[in-house]
Amino acid sequence: MNRALCVAVLGVVFTSMAVRAQSVEGTWQNHCASCHGKAGKGGGAGTRSLISDDLFSQDKDRAFFDAIRNGVPDTAMPAYGETMDDARIWGLVVHIRELQARGLRQEQGSPKPEGGVFTSAHHAYRLESVLEKGLVTPWAVDFLPDGRILFTERPGRVRVFVPGTKPELMPPLHGTPAVRDRGQGGMMEVAVHPDYAANGWVYLAFSDPQGEGGRRSMTKVVRGRIKGDRWTDEKTIFQAAPETYSGSDLHFGCRIAFGPSVNGRRHLYFCIGDRGSREKAQDLSEPNGKVHRLWDDGRVPDDNPFVATPGALKSVWSYGHRNPQGLTFDLDGSLWVTEHGPRGGDELNRVERARNYGWPTICFGIDYNDTPFRTPWPREGEDFTMPVLRWLPSIAACGLDVARGPMFPSWKGDLLAGGLAGEVLERVRVRGGVLIEREELIHGLGRVRDVACAPDGSIYVALNDPVRVVRLVEAGSNGNTGSK
Ligand code: HEC
Ligand SMILES: [Ca+2]
């Protein structure tokens, strides 16, 4: 090798080593901001602003990646594929998404009511207060057919609220299971059986404490009945093996959804997060990072996908999930899950039998310390199901339901997704597995923990910080019936 070439090669090696150690933010400031601007607003060397709705789209992920890697012909945009690895190039796309989200929020603000009325693509709506006090960290909301509303509180309570009465008049049910109230754990999901009128069953999912001082825990599912102010007839539906309990207080997952009736019986689906042990999401012998499926009485269905796989847990329905905290069937019978990504890359996935959703091998996010992870697309030989929608940056997806009507008929069948850190409720329209439309319905009122469509079609939202329960009620249709 001649000296000049050797120096050139070493130069590339050193540059790429230096670039690798850098935060994504640092790379942007050193290599990109001179033309695109610190905040992505453009101006240098003929660049346009990256802050536009058009460019803030997941359809542009690949195009952005390719532009950075290969350059843009006939413009000043250089190719970085020689000096940066693919992971860093993807990290820069993630950084652009963060700049766009910030910039667009500054320009457009949050949905704002006029005279109390919010306008959106197909309906106008008002926000009505349901509860301003009386709850501590409400985690889940569901409805009894007689109009009573069930709330869980993460510290370990279930309350029954009669609309119109004072919040002080909703004492917690006696006899609900003990929980480990630490970190992300506690009393989490409550779900009323769709055939409640006939069977009276209510389901709970929570962090079940075990061991000395109850310091280890794992997601557990039980069902029981509510008689007066008592929780009775409790039966365990799912309890993981003792060795799966851990001291981690992260990623319990913890939502429940019921399948359609099969000859008078129903399947029960529930999700458990990776509990901070990411590799377990790929291990079929572990409950972590899975959507599970049982009969509603806890028995394992004979036709579950892994019943005959040696070592696999028989309840596993799908795997490779990080921390799913939204789970619902839509009106076409598809099951949907929303899950938290790391820094960037929350996902909306259509849950299909036996499929692998990729965590921790791939995801759209980067590491929390702002260093790259890898590209979000499967490589040759990897067989992962990709999300229908990814949130970049993350909203900390939590709570998912479907608009069922009769209120808001033009939203019927649309998914309603909440976000904690994003403080957002979004309406998401997917048809035939394809994302068609999305819009923010509320933003900035608090951390959205759960969303639930009431029997009358109004949409309940449980907020944390500050604690509030509100509902969206129709304020007149704008005459537009839907499909864009
Ligand atoms: C010397 C100026 C210059 C530098 C440095 C530069 N770009 Fe560009 N970039 C451009 C121009 C010019 C375009 C094409 C016009 C446009 O899209 O604004 C472009 C286009 C892009 C696009 C496509 C955007 C679109 O509108 O479709 C992306 C993404 C991009 N650049 C990212 C980066 C990143 C990341 C870096 C740093 C690693 C970088 N650029 C460095 C000038 C530059
Ligand atoms: Ca995934």
Side-chain angles (χ1 to χ4, degrees), residues 98-113:
E98 292 180 359
L99 295 177
Q100 289 174 314
R102 210 174 302 148
L104 287 170
R105 182 68 70 197
Q106 274 166 7
E107 280 174 18
Q108 300 175 0
S110 313
K112 284 238 158 45

Side-chain angles (χ1 to χ4, degrees), residues 425-442:
L425 172 66
E426 277 194 30
R427 183 180 62 82
V428 178
R429 178 166 297 177
V430 182
R431 296 291 182 266
V434 179
L435 176 67
I436 294 183
E437 196 180 289
R438 51 187 282 220
E439 70 176 339
E440 266 180 8
L441 296 176
I442 61 179

Side-chain angles (χ1 to χ4, degrees), residues 319-322 339 345 347 349 356-359 362-364 384-387:
Y319 63 110
H321 300 284
R322 186 170 177 272
E339 52 185 283
E347 298 181 359
N349 286 303
N356 184 348
Y357 290 82
W359 179 255
I362 57 167
C363 74
F364 282 80
F384 300 129
T385 299
M386 298 300 283

Side-chain angles (χ1 to χ4, degrees), residues 231-297:
W231 173 254
T232 64
D233 306 340
E234 182 177 298
K235 179 179 186 288
T236 297
I237 299 296
F238 174 85
Q239 182 165 25
E243 59 274 17
T244 68
Y245 280 61
S246 84
S248 159
D249 292 313
L250 294 174
H251 301 181
F252 292 90
C254 246
R255 296 284 181 190
I256 292 172
F258 295 91
S261 174
V262 185
N263 302 323
R265 296 197 300 169
R266 287 179 194 269
H267 292 113
L268 174 87
Y269 297 79
F270 60 95
C271 44
I272 301 182
D274 69 8
R275 308 285 285 98
S277 303
R278 27 170 85 180
E279 300 306 326
K280 292 186 178 174
Q282 290 294 324
D283 182 345
L284 292 175
S285 72
E286 299 278 358
N288 313 43
K290 309 292 180 327
V291 173
H292 298 264
R293 178 198 197 228
L294 294 170
W295 285 110
D296 58 7
D297 61 2

Side-chain angles (χ1 to χ4, degrees), residues 28 31-32 35-36 45 47-48 50 64 68 75-78 80 92:
W28 176 265
H31 295 268
C32 322
C35 292
H36 290 284
T47 49
R48 56 175 170 173
L50 291 163
F64 275 22
I68 302 167
T75 76
M77 175 66 194
Y80 290 92
L92 286 163

Side-chain angles (χ1 to χ4, degrees), residues 352-429:
E352 287 175 291
R353 176 192 162 82
R355 293 297 309 163
N356 184 348
Y357 290 82
W359 179 255
T361 313
I362 57 167
C363 74
F364 282 80
I366 57 177
D367 278 327
Y368 281 108
N369 66 1
D370 200 35
T371 56
F373 177 57
R374 63 164 267 194
T375 59
W377 302 290
R379 295 176 182 157
E380 184 107 9
E382 291 177 343
D383 184 19
F384 300 129
T385 299
M386 298 300 283
V388 169
L389 166 63
R390 94 288 178 277
W391 281 276
L392 211 58
S394 293
I395 59 170
C398 199
L400 182 69
D401 205 354
V402 61
R404 295 188 194 86
M407 206 184 279
F408 301 119
S410 300
W411 290 350
K412 194 168 173 179
D414 293 351
L415 294 168
L416 303 161
L420 288 161
E423 301 198 349
V424 71
L425 172 66
E426 277 194 30
R427 183 180 62 82
V428 178
R429 178 166 297 177

